Amino acid sequence: MNLLLALPVVLPLLAAGLSIALRRHLRAQRSLSTAVLVIVLTVAFLLLVLADRRGPLVLPVGGWEAPAGITLVADRLSALLLTVSLLVALAVLLFSMGQGTAERRGRVATAFHPAYLLLAGGVGLAFLTGDLFNLFVAFEVMLGASYVLITLNAGTQRTRAGMTYVLVSLTSSLLFITAIALVYAATGTVNLAQLGERTAALPDGLRSALGLLLLVVFGIKSAMVPLHFWLPDSYPTAPAPITAVFAALLTKVGVYAMVRTQTLLFPREETWVLLAVLAVATMLLGILGALAQDDINRLLSFTLVSHIGFMLFGLALFDVAGLTGTILYIVHHIVVQATLFLVAGLVVRGAGTPALRRLEGRAPPPALLALLFLVPALSLSGIPPLSGFVAKLALLRAGAADGGAAAYALVAAALLTSLLTLAAMARLGRSAFSGAPRPDPRTPPAPAAPRRPARLMAATTAGMALAGVTLVVLAGPLARISERAAEDLMDRDPYRSAVLVTEAKP
């Protein structure tokens, strides 16, 4: 049964190679990509059920036991995030097929599906790997695939943005490989479970320095303030489905890596004040940046940065309640942020411009599209009873239970950010959907009617909005499994004992 752990990594990578061989057969490429993502999504859900019932599942690759060999591990946290990520990846793939921009150009079609499958394989490896070096490999696989995707059919502006993205990613990769070398020099291993034991014996200064270095590495990848500067200039230039999948997955993999390494390698007994300060700065500076934007995609990119701060909120508290809130927030945000970018893609496609000022006065999009925007926008703002409210309530209760000055600062920043998020969403909604009279007479005249979204694009976006609502329906079970995952993170023994027991399981 543990052989299932290899499928979310191996299947997409093998399919990527096969997809290149099928470059002259677009339908075959599309069928292959869809089938593979459906299979690995099913496998991920099965891993989640098994990990929740039995504890962490471990696969020593090639029969080489940990810590000598490569180990894949699926515990409650990794299996849950893998399942939600693959669900969103599948939805975005269907949206992209409906959009057709990736299929109507021969050279683009050749590259899109292999790169997308590579990205899915990299995400699978990032969530399932049991050692630091293969976590680095997973980020590099995602970097290569994402660079291809962000520059597909690109003009000068998008190529420049892609170069910024790559340069920042390579910088963080250099820091990451440096950190791995230092960790190995200090401990003699890169296996996460074994590191959890050996870092405890390091001198306090060295241990803190390694922890901070890894925080910087994953802070860049997750767009934590002040390391976020690359994201608002990179994501908005990509096509809507690419931006959606990047926003949903790549930054969350960075947050996951941060949570995994900090809880397993550098556990704390009290609130992490430095991370609390960074979380407050991320929430407030991100949302203030969003309010200053006149471009839909840049506004959503800044809200993405801002809401990374909510995920850091729970990690900074470093207790079960806080980490439960962080896990709930990651799950909620993967779905909701992707939905908002898909809706934005439909709005821009219909109006022909992402500029909010130019959208005002144009014929409003169909009412269904306004509804598809309203649900995730209210959820992102934390309006009850949507999933954003559930996740924020968990964080606020954790902050109140902590009772420290840093925790109250986090609570205050979270409440203020939620109000400002509502203001940003209201502004976006008014500009894109109200059809109000155009305030600037110099704005070009509006077209008679906006382009209607393709059926598959609209259906996929509706499915994503429904998935966000489903999170509310499943709030109870989701909260309970998140709490059990948080308890595993704080305990650490289930993960270490599962990996370091060398007997392979059938």
Side-chain angles (χ1 to χ4, degrees):
M1 187 63 74
N2 288 7
L3 290 174
L4 288 175
L5 273 78
L7 296 183
V9 181
V10 173
L11 269 186
L13 297 181
L14 291 177
L18 182 57
S19 186
I20 294 175
L22 295 172
R23 62 185 180 279
R24 297 184 185 280
H25 305 279
L26 179 57
R27 289 187 179 181
Q29 277 191 321
R30 296 173 63 173
S31 299
L32 177 66
S33 300
T34 305
V36 167
L37 288 183
V38 168
I39 292 172
V40 294
L41 172 61
T42 305
V43 170
F45 180 73
L46 185 57
L47 290 175
L48 173 60
V49 173
L50 292 173
D52 191 39
R53 291 179 179 176
R54 303 181 182 178
L57 306 172
V58 180
L59 175 65
V61 177
W64 291 86
E65 307 292 349
I70 297 172
T71 305
L72 299 179
V73 186
D75 62 355
R76 292 185 177 100
L77 174 63
S78 59
L80 175 62
L81 298 187
L82 180 63
T83 302
V84 179
S85 298
L86 290 174
L87 175 66
V88 171
L90 176 61
V92 173
L93 176 68
L94 296 176
F95 182 96
S96 178
M97 291 177 181
Q99 187 179 30
T101 54
E103 286 83 6
R104 291 176 184 168
R105 303 174 179 89
R107 293 175 59 189
V108 174
T110 300
F112 175 79
H113 289 279
Y116 200 84
L117 289 168
L118 271 179
L119 183 70
V123 170
L125 180 59
F127 283 131
L128 294 177
T129 184
D131 67 83
L132 274 181
F133 184 76
N134 279 295
L135 184 58
F136 170 79
V137 172
F139 275 114
E140 295 312 293
V141 171
M142 289 188 291
L143 170 62
S146 57
Y147 179 69
V148 173
L149 291 171
I150 206 171
T151 55
L152 280 176
N153 197 37
T156 303
Q157 181 185 4
R158 185 132 57 90
T159 302
R160 187 181 300 117
M163 290 303 298
T164 301
Y165 172 75
V166 168
L167 288 174
V168 172
S169 298
L170 287 176
T171 301
S172 67
S173 296
L174 286 173
L175 288 175
F176 194 7
I177 198 67
T178 303
I180 292 173
L182 293 174
V183 167
Y184 185 78
T187 63
T189 183
V190 292
N191 182 277
L192 289 171
Q194 197 170 36
L195 280 172
E197 297 176 343
R198 295 191 177 179
T199 52
L202 295 176
D204 289 342
L206 177 58
R207 188 167 172 271
S208 298
L210 293 176
L212 287 175
L213 184 54
L214 287 176
L215 176 67
V216 171
V217 169
F218 300 130
I220 294 174
K221 295 186 180 298
S222 61
M224 176 182 72
V225 170
L227 306 170
H228 69 293
F229 55 89
W230 57 273
L231 191 147
D233 291 332
S234 302
Y235 283 12
T237 62
I242 304 305
T243 306
V245 79
F246 283 9
L249 303 188
L250 299 189
T251 51
K252 308 309 182 300
V253 173
V255 174
Y256 164 79
M258 189 185 298
V259 170
R260 177 67 73 192
T261 53
Q262 295 298 331
T263 55
L264 189 59
L265 275 58
F266 311 102
R268 295 170 180 272
E269 300 295 333
E270 68 286 335
T271 300
W272 190 0
V273 176
L274 172 62
L275 190 61
V277 172
L278 293 172
V280 169
T282 302
M283 284 188 276
L284 295 180
L285 294 181
I287 199 60
L288 290 175
L291 289 170
Q293 303 306 312
D294 185 48
D295 179 294
I296 287 182
N297 291 323
R298 286 186 64 83
L299 187 153
L300 291 177
S301 295
F302 272 100
T303 61
L304 167 61
V305 171
S306 173
H307 285 247
I308 293 294
F310 284 92
M311 302 167 209
L312 304 180
F313 179 153
L315 178 59
L317 296 180
F318 243 100
D319 57 19
V320 170
L323 288 169
T324 300
T326 290
I327 296 169
L328 282 171
Y329 209 90
I330 295 174
V331 172
H332 141 77
H333 200 258
I334 287 175
V335 176
V336 167
Q337 192 74 46
T339 309
L340 283 171
F341 272 111
L342 294 184
V343 172
L346 293 176
V347 170
V348 173
R349 181 177 184 271
T353 177
L356 296 177
R357 179 172 48 81
R358 293 186 176 183
L359 289 173
E360 295 174 353
R362 294 181 177 242
L368 173 62
L369 194 54
L371 178 62
L372 296 181
F373 166 77
L374 186 64
V375 173
L378 292 179
S379 182
L380 192 70
S381 305
I383 300 299
L386 297 171
S387 60
F389 170 77
V390 175
K392 287 177 181 176
L393 181 62
L395 287 169
L396 295 178
R397 293 177 65 177
D402 182 281
Y408 282 126
L410 286 165
V411 169
L415 291 173
L416 179 58
T417 302
S418 296
L419 290 174
L420 294 176
T421 300
L422 184 60
M425 292 297 106
R427 177 175 173 241
L428 196 161
R430 183 180 65 82
S431 299
F433 298 101
S434 68
R438 187 172 65 252
D440 186 354
R442 294 170 297 179
T443 302
R451 295 173 61 191
R452 300 186 69 82
R455 288 182 181 178
L456 184 55
M457 297 168 69
T460 305
T461 308
M464 287 290 292
L466 183 61
V469 174
T470 304
L471 292 179
V472 180
V473 178
L474 299 176
L478 186 60
R480 287 192 287 274
I481 194 172
S482 297
E483 185 175 12
R484 292 194 288 273
E487 289 170 351
D488 291 345
L489 289 171
M490 291 302 295
D491 187 357
R492 298 180 289 279
D493 280 342
Y495 187 98
R496 288 186 302 206
S497 59
V499 174
L500 296 178
V501 171
T502 57
E503 181 180 356
K505 299 176 182 177

